[in-house]
Amino acid sequence: MLCLLVIGLKSWAQTEPKVSSQVDTTSIKIGEQINFTVTVETDTLAQVIFPDGHTFSPLETVEAFETDTTRKQDRMTLQKIYALTQFDSGNYKLPSQRIEINGKGYFTDSTQISVANVPVDTLAQKMYDIKPLMQVDKSNVDLFKWLLIILIVVAVVAGLVYWFFLRKKPLTEEEKEALLPPYDRALLELKKLENSKYIIQDEYKEYYSELTNIVRSYLEEDVHVTALESTTDELIVKLEMLRDAGELKLDNDTLSQFRRILQTADLVKFAKSKPESSVAENDRKAIEQIVIKTHDALPEPTEEELLEQEEYKEELARKKQKKKLVIAGVSVIAAIFIAAAVAIGYYGFVPVKDTLLGNPTKKLLEGEWVASTYGYPPISLETPEILRRQEAELTPDMKANISDLQIFMYRNAKSLFTVGTSSTVLTQEVEPDFEKSVEMFIKNLEDKGAKNIITKQEEFTTISGVKGIKVYGSGKFAVPESDELVQGKYSVILFGGKGFQQQVILTWRDNDTYAEEIVERILKTLEVKTEV
């Protein structure tokens, strides 16, 4: 039993992780680098999480090198090197770092680092005052990018509308023939009939049907007589009446010949008569002469008639253009509605609406985020906009307990979204009073007009394992420059230790899903230093 116990203890000792650290030097000059090496020996199946590089303050991280891994049987050795520096002289404490192995924290040793000044010969080189901060205009790259995309889309839509609806398309042969005057079109169609294969294929019915349709259509358009719906006798009677009235100067022989051809066509179409091919060809030539004589027999149109015809053509052109514009407009509107329907079906109504109308918190969420460290003791986090330093005046009562207070904040009044940090150094090495800080925060909200404030509290832990207190809830908050109260939410995360306190404040409008995502993302990146 004693042997088994010894073996068991030996086995447990082999599986227990080992964490060690070292620096290549403890004394550097301003701007020089030290290499901080962390070595972990553990099982090959263990999950190891190293510091992310924001936890070395007051030293600054220059580079975190890739982790070097060495395996031997069921054990592995992980080694990670951090290049650190400092640009102010003095003695600094490199804090102990938390290494998480299978969810359990292991800490490295802290080390004192001495940073020496670089001697400067002020006689050989002049000294200049520090230049003031320069105000840099916000980049408009994103705005230009969206404008370019919108212009391209509009140009493409305009090009499609022009190509399919507004441009003057090349006419087909049929359309060119349809635009010819009735007389020219009739002669052209008779010429095509001459070159057809109806007679060769003994298709006399189709031949005479097309022949009579050509002449009847011409008479209806040019002579203005209802020829297509009239029988042979009715059509001849109408032509004779026009001749007797002096409106059509045709002789009796031409009308008699026309009657004979129409009667022959009736026999072919209805009595299945089959004339000689020479007769059919002569009838086509005769019809061509009848068309020519009829055209020559028509009186010349008066100036008023020509003007009426011109106005009629212009009116037709205007109606055609108007029709094209209506079709183009309807097409564009339909395309917009279809695109909106597809977008709503895929993304949902609210995201599409917020994208088109420009929801402020949606722009913050989808914009370029900034990762930075604020104040001392430092607070590191990612935010959609940079936090700006706020002037903080300490009252005489506050100065008795606070030696330094640094506040950074971003506020979007339009969306009622606020994110701020405060780092407080106390005059005495005592633990901070979190309850008093929360009371002061609630009182500040009430002084600004907030009502019905609900408060909850829970523990908060950063990714690196630093524990703090999260106070959160909801209430009705005042809208800037208005008496209106809107439902909103807030979160206050507090950290601290002997002689200092750190605080992160977030407020946003209730039911704002984009703000909820922003808050969640900020809290996931939140890191603090718990040593001054």
Side-chain angles (χ1 to χ4, degrees), residues 128-278:
Y128 299 94
D129 291 335
I130 298 175
K131 293 184 178 180
L133 293 176
M134 295 179 63
Q135 189 69 27
V136 180
D137 295 333
K138 188 174 182 180
S139 174
N140 294 320
V141 174
D142 291 340
L143 176 61
F144 292 145
K145 179 179 70 175
W146 282 107
L147 286 176
L148 180 61
I149 292 173
I150 292 172
L151 288 175
I152 292 174
V153 171
V154 170
V156 170
V157 172
L160 293 174
V161 170
Y162 170 77
W163 182 263
F164 289 104
F165 301 107
L166 302 181
R167 76 181 177 99
K168 191 174 181 180
K169 301 176 184 178
L171 300 177
T172 63
E173 292 298 326
E174 291 77 9
E175 290 174 334
K176 290 179 180 179
E177 291 178 10
L179 293 176
L180 291 174
Y183 172 70
D184 296 330
R185 189 168 64 251
L187 295 181
L188 180 62
E189 290 175 350
L190 288 172
K191 188 67 176 178
K192 286 184 177 181
L193 183 61
E194 179 185 4
N195 299 324
S196 68
K197 297 181 180 180
Y198 289 136
I199 298 177
I200 298 175
Q201 297 174 353
D202 289 341
E203 295 176 352
Y204 289 96
K205 180 178 180 180
E206 288 77 5
Y207 178 85
Y208 274 95
S209 295
E210 191 167 336
L211 179 65
T212 53
N213 283 336
I214 293 171
V215 68
R216 285 175 179 269
S217 297
Y218 166 72
L219 292 174
E220 187 142 343
E221 291 183 68
D222 223 2
V223 185
H224 307 295
V225 61
T226 53
L228 291 172
E229 300 177 359
S230 301
T231 63
T232 298
D233 293 335
E234 289 173 346
L235 178 56
I236 297 301
V237 170
K238 292 176 182 178
L239 294 175
E240 289 176 345
M241 292 175 64
L242 289 173
R243 181 197 60 185
D244 296 340
E247 297 180 9
L248 187 64
K249 300 176 181 179
L250 286 177
D251 53 41
N252 291 329
D253 293 339
T254 301
L255 288 176
S256 299
Q257 187 180 29
F258 187 34
R259 181 195 296 271
R260 181 188 62 76
I261 295 173
L262 292 177
Q263 289 174 347
T264 302
D266 291 340
L267 291 174
V268 172
K269 290 188 290 184
F270 302 112
K272 297 183 180 181
S273 175
K274 186 177 179 182
E276 297 292 333
S277 58
S278 57

Side-chain angles (χ1 to χ4, degrees), residues 367-419:
E368 185 176 351
W369 282 50
V370 180
S372 188
T373 301
Y374 301 94
Y376 183 78
I379 301 174
S380 300
L381 71 168
E382 290 184 12
T383 55
E385 294 287 346
I386 192 73
L387 307 187
R388 299 191 178 278
R389 183 185 292 273
Q390 308 294 310
E391 295 296 331
E393 295 184 5
L394 299 177
T395 63
D397 293 339
M398 296 172 67
K399 289 180 179 179
N401 300 317
I402 299 174
S403 64
D404 187 25
L405 174 61
Q406 299 179 41
I407 299 175
F408 298 82
M409 184 171 291
Y410 168 78
R411 180 184 291 109
N412 189 313
K414 187 175 181 181
S415 62
L416 297 180
F417 177 79
T418 303
V419 54

